[in-house]
PDB file of all heavy atoms in Angstrom:
ATOM      1  N   LYS A 988     -42.909 -17.469 -37.633  1.00  0.00           N
ATOM      2  CA  LYS A 988     -43.443 -18.445 -36.670  1.00  0.00           C
ATOM      3  C   LYS A 988     -42.449 -18.769 -35.554  1.00  0.00           C
ATOM      4  O   LYS A 988     -42.826 -19.342 -34.546  1.00  0.00           O
ATOM      5  CB  LYS A 988     -43.821 -19.725 -37.404  1.00  0.00           C
ATOM      6  CG  LYS A 988     -44.931 -19.483 -38.421  1.00  0.00           C
ATOM      7  CD  LYS A 988     -45.717 -20.730 -38.721  1.00  0.00           C
ATOM      8  CE  LYS A 988     -47.045 -20.469 -39.393  1.00  0.00           C
ATOM      9  NZ  LYS A 988     -47.085 -19.337 -40.330  1.00  0.00           N
ATOM     10  N   ASN A 989     -41.169 -18.419 -35.770  1.00  0.00           N
ATOM     11  CA  ASN A 989     -40.142 -18.807 -34.801  1.00  0.00           C
ATOM     12  C   ASN A 989     -39.401 -17.564 -34.311  1.00  0.00           C
ATOM     13  O   ASN A 989     -38.584 -16.998 -35.046  1.00  0.00           O
ATOM     14  CB  ASN A 989     -39.158 -19.777 -35.452  1.00  0.00           C
ATOM     15  CG  ASN A 989     -39.873 -20.989 -36.013  1.00  0.00           C
ATOM     16  OD1 ASN A 989     -40.586 -21.685 -35.295  1.00  0.00           O
ATOM     17  ND2 ASN A 989     -39.729 -21.212 -37.300  1.00  0.00           N
ATOM     18  N   PHE A 990     -39.695 -17.151 -33.094  1.00  0.00           N
ATOM     19  CA  PHE A 990     -39.067 -15.920 -32.580  1.00  0.00           C
ATOM     20  C   PHE A 990     -39.161 -15.869 -31.061  1.00  0.00           C
ATOM     21  O   PHE A 990     -39.920 -16.626 -30.443  1.00  0.00           O
ATOM     22  CB  PHE A 990     -39.759 -14.683 -33.188  1.00  0.00           C
ATOM     23  CG  PHE A 990     -41.201 -14.551 -32.790  1.00  0.00           C
ATOM     24  CD1 PHE A 990     -41.570 -13.907 -31.612  1.00  0.00           C
ATOM     25  CD2 PHE A 990     -42.219 -15.085 -33.587  1.00  0.00           C
ATOM     26  CE1 PHE A 990     -42.912 -13.803 -31.238  1.00  0.00           C
ATOM     27  CE2 PHE A 990     -43.553 -14.976 -33.220  1.00  0.00           C
ATOM     28  CZ  PHE A 990     -43.904 -14.337 -32.045  1.00  0.00           C
ATOM     29  N   ILE A 991     -38.379 -14.966 -30.504  1.00  0.00           N
ATOM     30  CA  ILE A 991     -38.462 -14.704 -29.066  1.00  0.00           C
ATOM     31  C   ILE A 991     -38.363 -13.190 -28.855  1.00  0.00           C
ATOM     32  O   ILE A 991     -37.573 -12.522 -29.522  1.00  0.00           O
ATOM     33  CB  ILE A 991     -37.379 -15.508 -28.296  1.00  0.00           C
ATOM     34  CG1 ILE A 991     -37.575 -15.416 -26.786  1.00  0.00           C
ATOM     35  CG2 ILE A 991     -35.979 -15.087 -28.654  1.00  0.00           C
ATOM     36  CD1 ILE A 991     -36.868 -16.546 -26.030  1.00  0.00           C
ATOM     37  N   VAL A 992     -39.204 -12.672 -27.979  1.00  0.00           N
ATOM     38  CA  VAL A 992     -39.224 -11.236 -27.667  1.00  0.00           C
ATOM     39  C   VAL A 992     -39.122 -11.090 -26.156  1.00  0.00           C
ATOM     40  O   VAL A 992     -39.798 -11.821 -25.414  1.00  0.00           O
ATOM     41  CB  VAL A 992     -40.568 -10.585 -28.097  1.00  0.00           C
ATOM     42  CG1 VAL A 992     -40.575  -9.100 -27.759  1.00  0.00           C
ATOM     43  CG2 VAL A 992     -40.844 -10.791 -29.564  1.00  0.00           C
ATOM     44  N   GLU A 993     -38.320 -10.122 -25.715  1.00  0.00           N
ATOM     45  CA  GLU A 993     -38.179  -9.938 -24.261  1.00  0.00           C
ATOM     46  C   GLU A 993     -38.052  -8.447 -23.940  1.00  0.00           C
ATOM     47  O   GLU A 993     -37.352  -7.713 -24.641  1.00  0.00           O
ATOM     48  CB  GLU A 993     -36.931 -10.685 -23.796  1.00  0.00           C
ATOM     49  CG  GLU A 993     -36.635 -10.594 -22.321  1.00  0.00           C
ATOM     50  CD  GLU A 993     -35.481  -9.676 -21.998  1.00  0.00           C
ATOM     51  OE1 GLU A 993     -34.734  -9.270 -22.918  1.00  0.00           O
ATOM     52  OE2 GLU A 993     -35.344  -9.313 -20.833  1.00  0.00           O
ATOM     53  N   ILE A 994     -38.792  -7.987 -22.962  1.00  0.00           N
ATOM     54  CA  ILE A 994     -38.591  -6.627 -22.437  1.00  0.00           C
ATOM     55  C   ILE A 994     -38.442  -6.744 -20.923  1.00  0.00           C
ATOM     56  O   ILE A 994     -39.378  -7.149 -20.229  1.00  0.00           O
ATOM     57  CB  ILE A 994     -39.776  -5.673 -22.750  1.00  0.00           C
ATOM     58  CG1 ILE A 994     -40.054  -5.595 -24.262  1.00  0.00           C
ATOM     59  CG2 ILE A 994     -39.503  -4.276 -22.185  1.00  0.00           C
ATOM     60  CD1 ILE A 994     -41.252  -4.713 -24.644  1.00  0.00           C
ATOM     61  N   GLY A 995     -37.268  -6.405 -20.433  1.00  0.00           N
ATOM     62  CA  GLY A 995     -37.023  -6.402 -18.983  1.00  0.00           C
ATOM     63  C   GLY A 995     -37.441  -7.692 -18.285  1.00  0.00           C
ATOM     64  O   GLY A 995     -38.010  -7.649 -17.197  1.00  0.00           O
ATOM     65  N   GLY A 996     -37.186  -8.827 -18.924  1.00  0.00           N
ATOM     66  CA  GLY A 996     -37.486 -10.120 -18.289  1.00  0.00           C
ATOM     67  C   GLY A 996     -38.852 -10.688 -18.642  1.00  0.00           C
ATOM     68  O   GLY A 996     -39.138 -11.839 -18.324  1.00  0.00           O
ATOM     69  N   GLU A 997     -39.718  -9.900 -19.270  1.00  0.00           N
ATOM     70  CA  GLU A 997     -41.023 -10.429 -19.695  1.00  0.00           C
ATOM     71  C   GLU A 997     -40.845 -10.964 -21.122  1.00  0.00           C
ATOM     72  O   GLU A 997     -40.248 -10.290 -21.971  1.00  0.00           O
ATOM     73  CB  GLU A 997     -42.119  -9.355 -19.654  1.00  0.00           C
ATOM     74  CG  GLU A 997     -42.022  -8.299 -18.562  1.00  0.00           C
ATOM     75  CD  GLU A 997     -41.966  -8.795 -17.133  1.00  0.00           C
ATOM     76  OE1 GLU A 997     -41.512  -9.933 -16.884  1.00  0.00           O
ATOM     77  OE2 GLU A 997     -42.341  -8.030 -16.226  1.00  0.00           O
ATOM     78  N   ILE A 998     -41.349 -12.178 -21.363  1.00  0.00           N
ATOM     79  CA  ILE A 998     -40.972 -12.904 -22.592  1.00  0.00           C
ATOM     80  C   ILE A 998     -42.171 -13.518 -23.305  1.00  0.00           C
ATOM     81  O   ILE A 998     -43.075 -14.050 -22.664  1.00  0.00           O
ATOM     82  CB  ILE A 998     -40.005 -14.061 -22.224  1.00  0.00           C
ATOM     83  CG1 ILE A 998     -38.692 -13.500 -21.676  1.00  0.00           C
ATOM     84  CG2 ILE A 998     -39.732 -14.979 -23.417  1.00  0.00           C
ATOM     85  CD1 ILE A 998     -37.744 -14.549 -21.141  1.00  0.00           C
ATOM     86  N   VAL A 999     -42.134 -13.452 -24.641  1.00  0.00           N
ATOM     87  CA  VAL A 999     -42.985 -14.318 -25.461  1.00  0.00           C
ATOM     88  C   VAL A 999     -42.056 -15.070 -26.407  1.00  0.00           C
ATOM     89  O   VAL A 999     -41.176 -14.471 -27.027  1.00  0.00           O
ATOM     90  CB  VAL A 999     -44.042 -13.524 -26.272  1.00  0.00           C
ATOM     91  CG1 VAL A 999     -44.606 -14.366 -27.406  1.00  0.00           C
ATOM     92  CG2 VAL A 999     -45.196 -13.092 -25.367  1.00  0.00           C
ATOM     93  N   ALA A1000     -42.222 -16.390 -26.485  1.00  0.00           N
ATOM     94  CA  ALA A1000     -41.443 -17.196 -27.443  1.00  0.00           C
ATOM     95  C   ALA A1000     -42.407 -18.086 -28.214  1.00  0.00           C
ATOM     96  O   ALA A1000     -43.300 -18.691 -27.620  1.00  0.00           O
ATOM     97  CB  ALA A1000     -40.404 -18.030 -26.707  1.00  0.00           C
ATOM     98  N   ASP A1001     -42.228 -18.131 -29.514  1.00  0.00           N
ATOM     99  CA  ASP A1001     -43.059 -18.966 -30.389  1.00  0.00           C
ATOM    100  C   ASP A1001     -42.140 -19.890 -31.184  1.00  0.00           C
ATOM    101  O   ASP A1001     -41.037 -19.485 -31.579  1.00  0.00           O
ATOM    102  CB  ASP A1001     -43.782 -18.096 -31.434  1.00  0.00           C
ATOM    103  CG  ASP A1001     -45.113 -17.542 -30.952  1.00  0.00           C
ATOM    104  OD1 ASP A1001     -45.307 -17.436 -29.733  1.00  0.00           O
ATOM    105  OD2 ASP A1001     -45.955 -17.208 -31.816  1.00  0.00           O
ATOM    106  N   GLY A1002     -42.630 -21.085 -31.458  1.00  0.00           N
ATOM    107  CA  GLY A1002     -41.937 -21.984 -32.388  1.00  0.00           C
ATOM    108  C   GLY A1002     -40.634 -22.522 -31.829  1.00  0.00           C
ATOM    109  O   GLY A1002     -40.554 -22.878 -30.644  1.00  0.00           O
ATOM    110  N   THR A1003     -39.599 -22.530 -32.680  1.00  0.00           N
ATOM    111  CA  THR A1003     -38.328 -23.141 -32.294  1.00  0.00           C
ATOM    112  C   THR A1003     -37.167 -22.188 -32.581  1.00  0.00           C
ATOM    113  O   THR A1003     -37.334 -21.192 -33.273  1.00  0.00           O
ATOM    114  CB  THR A1003     -38.106 -24.442 -33.085  1.00  0.00           C
ATOM    115  OG1 THR A1003     -38.353 -24.171 -34.461  1.00  0.00           O
ATOM    116  CG2 THR A1003     -39.033 -25.550 -32.624  1.00  0.00           C
ATOM    117  N   ASN A1004     -35.989 -22.540 -32.075  1.00  0.00           N
ATOM    118  CA  ASN A1004     -34.821 -21.676 -32.247  1.00  0.00           C
ATOM    119  C   ASN A1004     -34.114 -21.951 -33.588  1.00  0.00           C
ATOM    120  O   ASN A1004     -34.606 -22.720 -34.407  1.00  0.00           O
ATOM    121  CB  ASN A1004     -33.879 -21.811 -31.047  1.00  0.00           C
ATOM    122  CG  ASN A1004     -33.194 -23.181 -30.973  1.00  0.00           C
ATOM    123  OD1 ASN A1004     -33.251 -23.966 -31.921  1.00  0.00           O
ATOM    124  ND2 ASN A1004     -32.567 -23.459 -29.856  1.00  0.00           N
ATOM    125  N   ARG A1005     -32.941 -21.342 -33.762  1.00  0.00           N
ATOM    126  CA  ARG A1005     -32.254 -21.415 -35.056  1.00  0.00           C
ATOM    127  C   ARG A1005     -31.858 -22.835 -35.448  1.00  0.00           C
ATOM    128  O   ARG A1005     -31.649 -23.130 -36.609  1.00  0.00           O
ATOM    129  CB  ARG A1005     -31.023 -20.511 -35.057  1.00  0.00           C
ATOM    130  CG  ARG A1005     -29.967 -20.896 -34.026  1.00  0.00           C
ATOM    131  CD  ARG A1005     -28.836 -19.916 -34.012  1.00  0.00           C
ATOM    132  NE  ARG A1005     -29.281 -18.607 -33.545  1.00  0.00           N
ATOM    133  CZ  ARG A1005     -28.489 -17.550 -33.463  1.00  0.00           C
ATOM    134  NH1 ARG A1005     -27.243 -17.628 -33.851  1.00  0.00           N
ATOM    135  NH2 ARG A1005     -28.942 -16.420 -32.982  1.00  0.00           N
ATOM    136  N   GLU A1006     -31.754 -23.708 -34.462  1.00  0.00           N
ATOM    137  CA  GLU A1006     -31.423 -25.114 -34.785  1.00  0.00           C
ATOM    138  C   GLU A1006     -32.680 -25.960 -34.933  1.00  0.00           C
ATOM    139  O   GLU A1006     -32.584 -27.190 -35.032  1.00  0.00           O
ATOM    140  CB  GLU A1006     -30.531 -25.708 -33.692  1.00  0.00           C
ATOM    141  CG  GLU A1006     -29.099 -25.231 -33.752  1.00  0.00           C
ATOM    142  CD  GLU A1006     -28.648 -24.636 -32.432  1.00  0.00           C
ATOM    143  OE1 GLU A1006     -29.233 -24.979 -31.387  1.00  0.00           O
ATOM    144  OE2 GLU A1006     -27.723 -23.808 -32.458  1.00  0.00           O
ATOM    145  N   GLY A1007     -33.822 -25.318 -34.891  1.00  0.00           N
ATOM    146  CA  GLY A1007     -35.069 -26.081 -34.982  1.00  0.00           C
ATOM    147  C   GLY A1007     -35.396 -26.797 -33.683  1.00  0.00           C
ATOM    148  O   GLY A1007     -36.243 -27.680 -33.621  1.00  0.00           O
ATOM    149  N   ARG A1008     -34.683 -26.422 -32.615  1.00  0.00           N
ATOM    150  CA  ARG A1008     -34.916 -27.039 -31.297  1.00  0.00           C
ATOM    151  C   ARG A1008     -35.768 -26.107 -30.442  1.00  0.00           C
ATOM    152  O   ARG A1008     -35.906 -24.936 -30.736  1.00  0.00           O
ATOM    153  CB  ARG A1008     -33.568 -27.233 -30.588  1.00  0.00           C
ATOM    154  CG  ARG A1008     -32.637 -28.160 -31.327  1.00  0.00           C
ATOM    155  CD  ARG A1008     -31.977 -29.121 -30.350  1.00  0.00           C
ATOM    156  NE  ARG A1008     -31.120 -30.051 -31.066  1.00  0.00           N
ATOM    157  CZ  ARG A1008     -29.832 -29.830 -31.310  1.00  0.00           C
ATOM    158  NH1 ARG A1008     -29.271 -28.710 -30.894  1.00  0.00           N
ATOM    159  NH2 ARG A1008     -29.118 -30.705 -31.964  1.00  0.00           N
ATOM    160  N   PRO A1009     -36.333 -26.629 -29.329  1.00  0.00           N
ATOM    161  CA  PRO A1009     -37.136 -25.760 -28.457  1.00  0.00           C
ATOM    162  C   PRO A1009     -36.330 -24.573 -27.927  1.00  0.00           C
ATOM    163  O   PRO A1009     -35.136 -24.721 -27.623  1.00  0.00           O
ATOM    164  CB  PRO A1009     -37.527 -26.692 -27.301  1.00  0.00           C
ATOM    165  CG  PRO A1009     -37.396 -28.068 -27.848  1.00  0.00           C
ATOM    166  CD  PRO A1009     -36.300 -28.028 -28.872  1.00  0.00           C
ATOM    167  N   TRP A1010     -36.960 -23.421 -27.820  1.00  0.00           N
ATOM    168  CA  TRP A1010     -36.333 -22.283 -27.146  1.00  0.00           C
ATOM    169  C   TRP A1010     -36.064 -22.693 -25.710  1.00  0.00           C
ATOM    170  O   TRP A1010     -36.910 -23.343 -25.084  1.00  0.00           O
ATOM    171  CB  TRP A1010     -37.269 -21.074 -27.130  1.00  0.00           C
ATOM    172  CG  TRP A1010     -37.510 -20.437 -28.468  1.00  0.00           C
ATOM    173  CD1 TRP A1010     -38.662 -20.487 -29.189  1.00  0.00           C
ATOM    174  CD2 TRP A1010     -36.589 -19.638 -29.215  1.00  0.00           C
ATOM    175  NE1 TRP A1010     -38.508 -19.777 -30.351  1.00  0.00           N
ATOM    176  CE2 TRP A1010     -37.251 -19.247 -30.401  1.00  0.00           C
ATOM    177  CE3 TRP A1010     -35.270 -19.214 -29.023  1.00  0.00           C
ATOM    178  CZ2 TRP A1010     -36.648 -18.441 -31.376  1.00  0.00           C
ATOM    179  CZ3 TRP A1010     -34.671 -18.428 -29.992  1.00  0.00           C
ATOM    180  CH2 TRP A1010     -35.345 -18.050 -31.141  1.00  0.00           C
TER     181      TRP A1010
END
Side-chain angles (χ1 to χ4, degrees):
K988 297 205 163 35
N989 304 304
F990 64 86
I991 188 160
V992 180
E993 180 254 347
I994 303 178
E997 326 304 26
I998 295 173
V999 163
D1001 273 23
T1003 48
N1004 69 11
R1005 62 184 66 182
E1006 285 125 24
R1008 298 224 178 91
W1010 291 109

